Amino acid sequence: MGKIVLVTGVARRLGGRFVRRIQRDPEVDRVVAVDAIPPEHHLGGADFVRADIRQPAIAKVLAEHSVDTVVHMDVTGTALGSGSRASVKETNVIGTMQLLGACQKSPTVKRLVVKSSTNVYGSAPRDPAVFTETTPPKSLPSGGFAKDAVEVEGYVRGFARRRPDVAVCVLRFANILGPSADSPLAEYLSLPVLPTVFGYDPRLQFVHEDDVIDVLRLASHEPRRGTLNSGTFNIAGDGVLLLSQCSRRLGRPTVPVLLPAVTWVGSALRTLGMTDFSPEQIRLLTHGRVVATGQMRETLGFQPKYTTAETFADFVRSRGAGLLPPEVVAAAVDRIAALPLPGGGHLSTKSAN
Amino acid sequence: MADAKVIPFDDDRSRGGAAQRQSRRRGVGSRRKGEPAAVREIPEVKALPESPDQQDDVLVTQEDKEPQAGWDKRIAGGLAFLRRRLTGDYEVDDFGYDKELTDQVLMSLLRPVYEKYFRVEVKGVENIPSDGGALIVANHSGTLPLDGLMMQVAVHDNHPKNRHLRLLAADLVFMLPVVNELARKAGHTLACAEDAERLLRRGELVGVMPEGFKGIGKPFAERYKLQRFGRGGFVSTALRQGTPIIPCSIVGAEEIYPMIGNAKTLARLLGFPYFPITPTFPWLGPLGAVPLPTKWTIQFGEPIPTDGYPPEAAEDPMLMFNLTDQVREQIQHTLYKLLVQRRSVFF
């Protein structure tokens, strides 16, 4: 008998993509897609069940379809449409509690995959440069999505203790980017001019949407030979990009703002509805965050297709050029090179090419 | 004992008149007659720093033959660099270390200070392995961590393989704007076991100054007296990775900002571990922040191997204390030796 997979948070594009993709896997018999609002995109042949995971009704859905694999993707930082921060927090925390409660009662559930975030590590100057799965954060996130993620992981750990027969996999994703990414960071990077924190150049790590889908699939199925897909894993593309590099590659100029003023600018932008400039995001854009992905490679056996730089390049392609496209800047430098000394200009264009 | 041989700073000042300042430029020869004992050290000492100079000379003569082509190449190289920087087409590692920027810009900014201002002499660079991880442990002094930066230049410019030193810095460095950005780009990272182990595992050369703020912020009267070496965490890190520990003694950094007082209230207000008061700072304002042009010597000592110990050795506090003491003694001993050999603070 094939597997029956329940996916939460399918009204988001990433959830929708995952539902469409996992149906094509031969092991999967049926996909039950759950969200509180009907998705705008199609879900392939999946059964959409409109259910709010904050309500106990989710237990009925689990029992009715005798689900054996639960992929919990409804842990997100921003509201879909016009939800408030409070309702997002409720979906994240209460929703997870309800879902886990339902899973605990269900005799059929064998596998649980939770989409978490590297936000759980926080971001502080006193942290080590690279976080591993076991690094305790020096300063726990005090609020916002990061705190939700910490609490969600806490409940998931409790569930794993109470139901040792269920394989539990927590995937901590770095910033997800891609052509259709709708994360707060993607919104930030789409601003025409990027406000940055003066005197700080954070290190950022990205993971491509395609890799997110692939690693979720890997975690949802039986582990491959020699690998183990239960536990907690950091998921990120190789390498690191500095924010200054990102802005140059995007061709969007930066405006350095003093740290005390940043908070003010952030709330102003939030009021205008331009971006969700939450305090945790400001901290990420101040101190940056890099995670180690050794566990992902060695234990989970996952090799991301895109590095951080390639993920970002793909994102840049999808967003189009900013005010100062890198090609234009490069051409301007070449023109300067050609100006004073004909010999010098010739050499420089050759080396640049 | 050796402390008595430390040449008091004030004596130097009274001696250091205009006549001596002139003779400094003319070089060693004029002083040889006066102090024959010290002369014997000079050829050995001079041998190392001269080699890069000679290379420079060769470069210059080549450029003389084809000055036009040399300049063209340099301009082209500069513009290609500018192009890469402006389009973001460069790489940084997990720690934010920007090799290209360090090589092309940051090192070039530090080099004049290293060569012309502090005239750093480097000894024992052959003690640094040409590949694989190693932990360089040095004394810390001078109110501002210039000694770390000079050590970084010393290793890079004198080592035959031009190895880059990855310094471990205090958390204060990563809290200050601009400073944290430059520190990360120059390859420094937070002084914690996780980062140090990660770097050593990758086979990097890691520099640490275990005295920390106790060493750098000590009053001038306690110069060249090593402070407690933290909790010896650097030893267990090296033991766990089996990398050698290279003791390093830096002479000259103590006198760049003679700290005669510490404005503790102001320091607490600003969130700094100390607020230095020197004969010139803060009285002369920014001018008072110019370090005194002392003559530096950086000596790398014999490596202390750590690979012969069993894996549980890193958990053995007695062994750790012993090794910490061994490293500390060796640095202190070398400091005294270098101080005895030193002719004056400024030359």
Side-chain angles (χ1 to χ4, degrees):
Chain A
M1 144 197 153
K3 280 164 60 132
I4 299 159
V5 183
L6 181 134
V7 184
T8 64
V10 295
R12 288 174 192 275
R13 284 194 216 161
L14 200 65
R17 264 192 79 182
F18 176 67
V19 168
R20 286 195 296 276
R21 180 66 192 82
I22 196 152
Q23 280 175 81
R24 302 214 298 270
D25 286 350
E27 307 95 309
V28 175
D29 211 29
R30 210 138 55 83
V31 179
V32 182
V34 175
D35 209 320
I37 14 176
E40 286 166 1
H41 42 254
H42 73 103
L43 293 173
D47 310 340
F48 176 70
V49 179
R50 186 168 177 177
D52 193 336
I53 55 167
R54 289 171 289 179
Q55 305 300 327
I58 190 71
K60 252 197 310 203
V61 178
L62 276 177
E64 209 174 289
H65 296 271
S66 51
V67 170
D68 50 31
T69 304
V70 176
V71 181
H72 183 29
M73 292 179 71
D74 213 352
V75 184
T76 44
T78 45
L80 195 65
S82 58
S84 66
R85 166 77 199 124
S87 76
V88 173
K89 185 180 172 68
E90 211 168 272
T91 307
N92 286 344
V93 180
I94 309 293
T96 303
M97 285 175 82
Q98 283 287 357
L99 183 69
L100 292 176
C103 289
Q104 196 172 327
K105 272 196 290 180
S106 159
T108 52
V109 171
K110 292 282 163 286
R111 191 170 286 282
L112 169 70
V113 181
V114 179
K115 167 183 168 280
S116 181
S117 153
T118 54
N119 277 324
V120 295
Y121 297 114
S123 184
R126 301 185 60 181
D127 283 322
V130 182
F131 291 102
T132 63
E133 283 82 352
T134 52
T135 314
K138 287 278 181 335
S139 54
L140 270 170
S142 56
F145 170 57
K147 196 175 180 210
D148 294 358
V150 170
E151 285 173 358
V152 164
E153 284 200 11
Y155 292 126
V156 171
R157 268 194 298 276
F159 170 79
R161 261 199 313 275
R162 289 190 293 272
R163 280 289 300 269
D165 57 315
V166 176
V168 177
C169 183
V170 177
L171 301 171
R172 291 177 177 163
F173 290 104
N175 306 298
I176 300 172
L177 278 192
S180 65
D182 52 359
S183 65
L185 193 76
E187 273 175 43
Y188 165 78
L189 290 170
S190 308
L191 292 173
V193 174
L194 305 180
T196 58
V197 183
F198 172 76
Y200 293 88
D201 201 358
R203 295 161 299 141
L204 302 173
Q205 244 179 345
F206 304 114
V207 56
H208 197 276
E209 284 172 333
D210 295 359
D211 284 326
V212 174
I213 304 294
D214 283 346
V215 76
L216 282 168
R217 274 175 55 222
L218 185 78
S220 313
H221 296 316
E222 288 299 312
R224 284 191 308 225
R225 200 178 245 282
T227 65
L228 186 70
N229 65 359
S230 50
T232 304
F233 302 98
N234 293 332
I235 310 291
D238 281 344
V240 166
L241 279 180
L242 299 176
L243 182 59
S244 59
Q245 263 177 306
C246 293
S247 79
R248 287 168 198 175
R249 288 182 188 195
L250 262 176
R252 295 177 202 274
T254 55
V255 181
V257 184
L258 284 173
L259 190 50
V262 167
T263 331
W264 184 83
V265 170
S267 59
L269 281 176
R270 201 161 41 227
T271 323
L272 290 171
M274 280 176 84
T275 176
D276 181 32
F277 230 65
S278 59
E280 60 179 315
Q281 181 140 13
I282 293 172
R283 279 177 57 177
L284 171 70
L285 293 176
T286 309
H287 303 297
R289 187 188 310 125
V290 173
V291 294
T293 51
Q295 287 288 319
M296 168 186 89
R297 286 167 190 288
E298 284 147 30
T299 313
L300 190 61
F302 178 70
Q303 303 287 340
K305 276 202 230 63
Y306 293 84
T307 65
T308 288
E310 285 163 1
T311 305
F312 195 74
D314 202 27
F315 174 75
V316 173
R317 268 196 295 282
S318 72
R319 291 293 144 129
L323 293 171
L324 295 169
E327 301 80 36
V328 175
V329 175
V333 174
D334 290 345
R335 226 171 299 137
I336 296 167
L339 273 179
L341 292 162
H346 180 65
L347 264 172
S348 97
T349 40
K350 216 163 49 177
S351 67
N353 288 340
Chain B
M1 163 214 98
D3 203 20
K5 288 179 183 160
V6 175
I7 300 155
F9 168 66
D10 293 332
D11 283 12
D12 276 310
R13 281 208 119 181
S14 56
R15 281 197 295 144
Q20 265 203 343
R21 210 163 288 153
Q22 277 175 356
S23 72
R24 192 212 308 169
R25 272 267 156 248
R26 264 188 278 134
V28 182
S30 58
R31 256 169 285 118
R32 268 186 188 169
K33 296 152 204 159
E35 292 167 43
V39 176
R40 238 163 276 143
E41 304 296 331
I42 290 160
E44 293 169 24
V45 166
K46 284 280 170 188
L48 275 168
E50 251 166 31
S51 47
D53 289 351
Q54 279 166 356
Q55 280 173 2
D56 276 354
D57 289 346
V58 173
L59 274 178
V60 169
T61 45
Q62 276 177 350
E63 272 166 23
D64 283 343
K65 281 176 199 159
E66 305 166 67
Q68 189 65 39
W71 272 105
D72 281 0
K73 209 173 266 179
R74 202 172 281 185
I75 290 170
L79 283 168
F81 172 73
L82 186 72
R83 191 184 200 273
R84 277 197 303 279
R85 300 307 299 186
L86 286 179
T87 53
D89 186 17
Y90 51 90
E91 307 259 318
V92 297
D93 79 353
D94 288 356
F95 296 86
Y97 168 48
D98 190 338
K99 189 171 184 302
E100 193 183 44
L101 186 77
T102 308
D103 280 344
Q104 309 278 336
V105 181
L106 300 178
M107 281 288 184
S108 324
L109 289 176
L110 287 173
R111 206 161 280 127
V113 183
Y114 171 88
E115 282 173 357
K116 301 277 160 19
Y117 200 76
F118 294 129
R119 294 147 288 142
V120 183
E121 275 181 25
V122 178
K123 299 178 184 182
V125 83
E126 69 279 358
N127 288 319
I128 301 172
S130 51
D131 52 355
L135 188 66
I136 298 184
V137 180
N139 59 318
H140 206 12
S141 58
T143 311
L144 284 184
L146 291 179
D147 51 354
L149 299 175
M150 291 302 117
M151 184 161 80
Q152 190 177 8
V153 182
V155 171
H156 179 258
D157 286 6
N158 289 286
H159 197 276
K161 288 230 171 134
N162 291 352
R163 291 196 74 176
H164 277 280
L165 184 66
R166 308 292 299 263
L167 285 171
L168 303 181
D171 49 2
L172 180 67
V173 169
F174 298 101
M175 289 181 199
L176 298 172
V178 184
V179 176
N180 85 91
E181 191 181 335
L182 289 174
R184 282 247 174 256
K185 286 181 179 168
H188 309 170
T189 191
L190 183 76
C192 62
E194 292 96 331
D195 283 8
E197 270 177 45
R198 186 167 289 274
L199 282 170
L200 287 174
R201 212 178 306 135
R202 290 201 330 201
E204 301 271 3
L205 205 54
V206 179
V208 67
M209 292 162 154
E211 287 175 278
F213 289 126
K214 294 188 299 298
I216 192 170
K218 64 178 178 290
F220 188 59
E222 287 179 30
R223 60 195 178 281
Y224 298 116
K225 277 184 204 146
L226 283 190
Q227 305 292 303
R228 184 167 58 84
F229 266 19
R231 277 162 281 182
F234 69 95
V235 171
S236 62
T237 302
L239 274 172
R240 236 171 265 140
Q241 298 301 321
T243 48
I245 297 174
I246 301 163
C248 170
S249 312
I250 302 171
V251 166
E254 292 272 16
E255 291 93 354
I256 56 169
Y257 295 111
M259 185 163 145
I260 51 171
N262 181 2
K264 285 204 180 107
T265 322
L266 196 56
R268 213 171 301 132
L269 220 63
L270 292 170
F272 295 145
Y274 55 86
F275 189 88
I277 292 170
T278 72
T280 51
F281 185 81
W283 325 119
L284 300 183
L287 201 67
V290 175
L292 297 178
T294 55
K295 163 90 183 156
W296 287 31
T297 308
I298 299 180
Q299 170 143 24
F300 298 100
E302 293 248 323
I304 298 168
T306 61
D307 48 359
Y309 297 96
E312 65 271 17
E315 309 289 324
D316 179 1
M318 274 325 280
L319 178 72
M320 264 181 36
F321 281 128
N322 284 343
L323 271 174
T324 309
D325 277 349
Q326 190 188 338
V327 176
R328 196 171 170 275
E329 300 265 296
Q330 196 170 331
I331 295 173
Q332 181 76 74
H333 194 73
T334 315
L335 276 179
Y336 284 147
K337 254 200 326 216
L338 289 173
L339 285 173
V340 171
Q341 289 166 7
R342 178 164 77 160
R343 283 159 296 142
S344 124
V345 175
F346 294 105
F347 315 102

